[in-house]
């Protein structure tokens, strides 16, 4: 019974997860142009190297899971952020939502492996990698990546994993810690842990 209560979403969880999703959606929207241009430039230099900039698009699920700490939080935040990005003019249109689902699911799987009990830096880094793997698998079928060379796909996968680990995992963890230190997450476990 206590486990069910711990897993159940409170109203504050829904509100904060929605606020995080909107904030991440606006970050995604800005990164669609900045990161999109950078992605193209790096891919022109070496095909697949553009994956190094994708981690910013993966950060929503990691942040959502680290703050809410309940099943579905990563999927909710990443997907809602992707919906906002798509609605406000993402150059990838509706496919952005599929990306949000795949990336959020990748984060959910990592936290599920740890039974939603580990929320430290290594787990956040693994979650960023999980999100990157979700993105890679989706893009194999949603984009022409499957028809591209093995060299491209290996380079892209390695770059995606590095970016997911650093820009989504480590940076997402640092962002949540900063919010907690500022007192913005006092009603959540991460805020209480810092106070202790």
């Amino acid at each position: 019974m206590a486990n069910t209560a711990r897993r159940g979403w409170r109203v504050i969880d829904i509100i904060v997860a929605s606020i995080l999703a909107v904030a991440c959606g606006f970050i995604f929207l800005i990164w669609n142009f900045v990161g999109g241009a950078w992605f193209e430039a790096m891919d022109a230099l070496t095909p697949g190297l553009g994956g190094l900039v994708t981690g910013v698009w993966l950060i929503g699920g990691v942040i959502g899971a680290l703050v809410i700490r309940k099943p579905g939080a990563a999927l909710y935040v990443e997907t809602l952020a992707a919906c906002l990005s798509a609605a406000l003019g993402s150059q990838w249109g509706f496919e952005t939502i599929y990306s949000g689902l795949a990336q959020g699911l990748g984060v959910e799987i990592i936290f599920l492996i740890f039974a939603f009990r580990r929320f430290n830096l290594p787990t956040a880094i693994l979650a960023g990698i999980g999100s990157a793997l979700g993105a890679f698998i989706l893009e194999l079928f949603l984009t022409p990546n499957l028809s591209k060379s093995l060299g491209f796909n290996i380079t892209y996968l390695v770059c995606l994993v590095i970016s997911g680990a650093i820009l989504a995992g480590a940076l997402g963890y640092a962002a949540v810690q900063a919010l907690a230190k500022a007192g913005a997450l006092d009603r959540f476990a991460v805020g209480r842990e810092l106070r202790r």
Side-chain angles (χ1 to χ4, degrees):
M1 187 73 162
N3 192 38
T4 305
R6 189 174 72 84
R7 296 282 189 229
W9 282 53
R10 306 168 298 169
V11 173
I12 189 72
D13 295 332
I14 296 167
I15 292 169
V16 170
S18 299
I19 291 168
L20 291 171
V22 169
C24 288
F26 280 110
I27 290 168
F28 294 172
L29 191 63
I30 293 165
W31 199 244
N32 288 346
F33 299 102
V34 177
W38 190 8
F39 183 98
E40 295 297 327
M42 292 185 85
D43 244 22
L45 184 65
T46 301
L49 206 58
L52 288 173
V53 305
T54 58
V56 174
W57 287 301
L58 313 176
I59 200 169
V62 175
I63 289 174
L66 289 173
V67 172
I68 306 300
R69 297 186 174 188
K70 292 178 181 169
L75 193 59
Y76 179 83
V77 173
E78 188 73 34
T79 304
L80 185 56
C83 288
L84 179 65
S85 176
L88 294 178
S90 166
Q91 59 265 51
W92 299 285
F94 196 78
E95 290 179 2
T96 305
I97 299 169
Y98 298 142
S99 293
L101 287 165
Q103 293 157 11
L105 188 58
V107 175
E108 290 286 340
I109 289 169
I110 298 301
F111 281 99
L112 180 62
I113 289 169
F114 294 106
F116 292 89
R117 288 198 162 95
R118 288 193 156 179
F119 301 95
N120 55 18
L121 179 59
T123 308
I125 289 171
L126 287 174
I129 292 170
S131 188
L133 292 174
F136 179 77
I137 292 166
L138 176 74
E139 289 177 24
L140 276 177
F141 303 100
L142 197 62
T143 68
N145 285 2
L146 197 57
S147 63
K148 292 184 179 178
S149 71
L150 181 61
F152 167 84
N153 279 295
I154 290 172
T155 303
Y156 185 54
L157 175 59
V158 169
C159 290
L160 260 174
V161 165
I162 291 168
S163 188
I166 296 169
L167 296 180
L171 187 61
Y173 181 84
V176 169
Q177 292 297 304
L179 285 171
K181 284 176 186 167
L185 301 175
D186 284 349
R187 297 195 55 188
F188 294 87
V190 65
R192 292 190 295 273
E193 286 169 4
L194 274 176
R195 285 199 306 275
R196 285 199 297 267

